[in-house]
Amino acid sequence: MVEKTNHFLSLKQVTIRDPFFSPVQNTVIHTMIPYQEKVLHDEIPDIRPSHVIRNYRIAAGEIEGTYYGRVFQDSDLAKWLEAVAYSLTVQPDAELEARADEIIDLIGRVQKPDGYLDTYFIVAEPEMRWKDLGDCHEMYCAGHMTEAAVAYYEATGKTKLLDICCRLCDHIDRRFGDEEGKVPGIPGHEEIELALMRLYRVTGEDRYRKLASYFIDKRGQDPDFFKKEADARGGDPNSYINRQLITYAQNHAPVREQDTAEGHAVRCMYLYTGAADIAAANQDEALMEACRKVWDNMTKRRMYITGGIGATHQGESFSTDYDLPNDSAYAETCAAVGVCFFARQMLEADPDRRYADVMERALYNGVLSGMQLDGKKFFYINQLEADPDACSTAYAYGSEEYTPERIGWYDCACCPPNLARLVTSIGSYTWSCGENTIYSHLFLGGSADFDFAGGGIVKLEGNYPWDGTLTYTVSPKNPNATFTLAIRHPGWCRRMTVTVNGENVSESTVNEKGYWELSRAWNPGDTVICRMDLPVRRIYANPLVRADAGCVALMRGPIVYAFEGIDNGEDLSALRIPRDAAIEAPPFNADLLGGVVALKIAGRRLKPMDDLYSDYPPEEEEAVLQAIPYYAWCNRGRTHMKIWMQE
């Protein structure tokens, strides 16, 4: 096991008992994971079939049939298995584990003697193995299965899937590289890099780290790599990747020379998550500096207020700086999940609140909006403004992803299991340990088990994000244990006070990275209370963001708010929020949308006119508006929605 100077605590070291996130996690564990299991077995009527398990059975020679689905269909099963592994850690379930073991046995029966594993090429095009890295996702699927294998081993101690993936990654290592007897190659869709680093840490096998580094170093050395690959197959100018901009797969320049977030948003996040991990492991400052530059460009010029990324449907990609349309926003759920991955990796390398702030923003807004509150329907795309008629006409682009309502499954079903694996593993994003320091990054109630200074537990209680009071109870195993508890002062929080055993702590203890560093000799039962002001905040976009000119958005704590037609009438474009409008945050409403704090705003409504255009401005009238958390929109039926409102 390779140790880091600062590392996130594992799921087994963290317990989540949180008024907000425990219900979400329970929905994923008790509803979403079983629902997705049935989808993978094609047991849910009236939704698009998955065929994943059937593909595996065909590949194993157990039944007759033809391959069905996208070329990367295997990854849906891999991500589901990873979510199962985290679920078993959080809440052991012998029956679920037994069913997962049966699926792992099936995967083992599919694997070829040389270690190769991909049902599409085993069943549909065996002669085309490794000949279309740009479009065919073999290493992407291998990466997701390997991440699942590591998670399942850590959860259960069982090595069968881990052994399968070691053979698979050994097969990839034997094939790709610049050494004699190997062929050069890079994945079209990054993911294998993350997985190899996880495999390296759990096995201690340095070949996996070197292979991950190779894929990072090779990327961008030949910007025409995928075109040449298509030419070698006989020429395929219409292949998907060849129809995209050269930046689509982040192969336009060497990774160390990249300084803007480009191309397919999910691929970009996976690339830089892996790059940041490799940079830290290899002490590669040039690579880490590239990660910082891309992070700054993404968060300061190319990210939605929700933490969503990817402004355009064309290539599911980033657009140009400040081009952030609301009604046609792509903001794929997987991309917001990827933001959390990238943020976590940067935070592990450098405990700076700017990474934790973005991770929190994406988690509470851009990620959770991807799932219906009941856990059975999902958004692929997360628009920031929705007109149901426009969703299904003007923005459809012939794609099911632009839908005015969440649906039960997708032809490209990457998002639902990706969301499931993040939510079930959220405990491992919450606390990290540096040298004699435990960091509190996300304010999820529960406890963390640390092992320095003789060990101990830190317990966190609160009703975040609806209430700003947090109570930490520190219980070291040894009295007078000396160490540091570092608590994030969120960037959104204008005023935060901290007491230790009732005594005020000076703000001078907040370090340059935005953490309260509470260094002292701790005794069992010592209590830290943090109080954060949670006023409703008016948020304004940079004037260069054309879509938000003259508009205001509302936030309270980390929560972004949205206006729905069901509360305010469907003519949301006629609503105004005066700059001096009174905005109230009434008490928590347990009966609304699973329990939320909704906002009441003294707004204005412009009256409709008879003519399309007029010499005179429309008349106005007073209107009491209601805003709800963005993540909860579209849970009460088909409706209009806006985040940015005219001021």
Side-chain angles (χ1 to χ4, degrees), residues 149-220:
V150 172
Y152 203 76
Y153 166 71
E154 291 175 337
T156 67
K158 296 176 180 177
T159 62
K160 185 162 191 175
L161 188 57
L162 188 68
D163 292 340
I164 289 169
C165 288
C166 284
R167 291 193 294 271
L168 173 58
C169 291
D170 290 345
H171 167 84
I172 294 171
D173 184 47
R174 288 193 300 270
R175 180 174 180 85
F176 294 104
D178 290 333
E179 302 94 334
E180 185 177 353
K182 297 184 178 183
V183 297
I186 54 173
H189 194 314
E190 302 91 334
E191 157 62 17
I192 190 68
E193 302 88 345
L194 289 72
L196 286 167
M197 291 303 290
R198 291 187 68 179
L199 192 61
Y200 154 63
R201 289 198 169 86
V202 81
T203 65
E205 177 52 68
D206 198 46
R207 285 186 299 107
Y208 301 136
R209 179 191 61 82
K210 291 179 179 178
L211 183 58
S213 299
Y214 166 79
F215 287 133
I216 293 293
D217 294 340
K218 195 71 175 176
R219 189 164 221 94

Side-chain angles (χ1 to χ4, degrees), residues 314-570:
Q314 180 63 44
E316 304 178 308
S317 296
F318 290 98
S319 181
T320 57
D321 287 352
Y322 306 113
D323 183 33
L324 294 166
N326 294 310
D327 54 359
S328 61
Y330 206 78
E332 182 184 343
T333 300
C334 276
V337 170
V339 168
C340 293
F341 294 164
F342 187 18
R344 181 183 187 273
Q345 199 58 60
M346 294 299 287
L347 192 57
E348 190 166 59
D350 178 14
D352 189 317
R353 77 173 180 194
R354 65 184 179 133
Y355 304 123
D357 284 349
V358 170
M359 182 165 69
E360 178 183 69
R361 178 186 295 261
L363 180 63
Y364 281 94
N365 302 289
V367 171
L368 291 186
S369 60
M371 63 177 281
Q372 194 148 292
L373 295 177
D374 66 5
K376 294 182 179 180
K377 291 185 178 181
F378 312 93
F379 273 140
Y380 188 105
I381 291 168
N382 295 273
Q383 298 162 282
L384 280 73
E385 179 178 337
D387 176 332
D389 293 330
C391 284
S392 51
T393 55
Y395 308 131
Y397 303 113
S399 168
E400 68 178 355
E401 283 83 30
Y402 273 97
T403 170
E405 297 176 274
R406 297 177 184 87
I407 64 175
W409 207 246
Y410 289 87
D411 173 50
C412 176
C414 51
C415 296
N418 218 3
L419 199 156
R421 70 181 181 134
L422 176 60
V423 172
T424 48
S425 64
I426 197 62
S428 63
Y429 290 67
T430 306
W431 304 82
S432 73
C433 280
E435 185 176 353
N436 221 42
T437 300
I438 183 166
Y439 291 91
S440 175
H441 301 297
L442 296 177
F443 303 132
L444 274 61
S447 61
D449 192 343
F450 61 90
D451 54 14
F452 54 78
I457 293 174
V458 177
K459 183 179 180 181
L460 172 58
E461 297 174 287
N463 191 26
Y464 190 82
W466 313 124
D467 183 270
T469 300
L470 306 171
T471 300
Y472 294 83
T473 304
V474 184
S475 298
K477 293 179 181 177
N478 300 323
N480 292 310
T482 302
F483 60 90
T484 300
L485 172 62
I487 301 171
R488 177 174 61 104
H489 185 140
W492 55 258
C493 181
R494 298 168 185 167
R495 183 173 181 272
M496 179 175 179
T497 61
V498 176
T499 63
V500 178
N501 295 332
E503 296 184 5
N504 290 327
V505 176
S506 169
E507 286 194 16
S508 64
T509 65
V510 179
N511 66 21
E512 71 279 4
K513 299 295 180 70
Y515 284 77
W516 293 75
E517 290 188 332
L518 309 179
S519 303
R520 56 182 283 128
W522 298 92
N523 286 293
D526 282 350
T527 300
V528 177
I529 297 179
C530 303
R531 294 181 175 87
M532 294 177 283
D533 286 351
L534 283 178
V536 179
R537 294 158 23 241
R538 291 171 177 262
I539 307 298
Y540 298 93
N542 188 307
L544 298 178
V545 181
R546 300 182 306 278
D548 302 333
C551 292
V552 64
L554 303 179
M555 291 187 69
R556 184 173 182 267
I559 300 296
V560 174
Y561 279 80
F563 296 80
E564 281 197 296
I566 197 167
D567 296 316
N568 303 287
E570 301 296 358

Side-chain angles (χ1 to χ4, degrees), residues 633-647:
W633 90 274
C634 199
N635 273 275
R636 295 175 290 174
R638 182 183 175 107
T639 187
H640 292 63
M641 181 274 295
K642 280 173 69 77
I643 287 178
W644 291 97
M645 302 292 286
Q646 289 289 325
E647 191 175 57

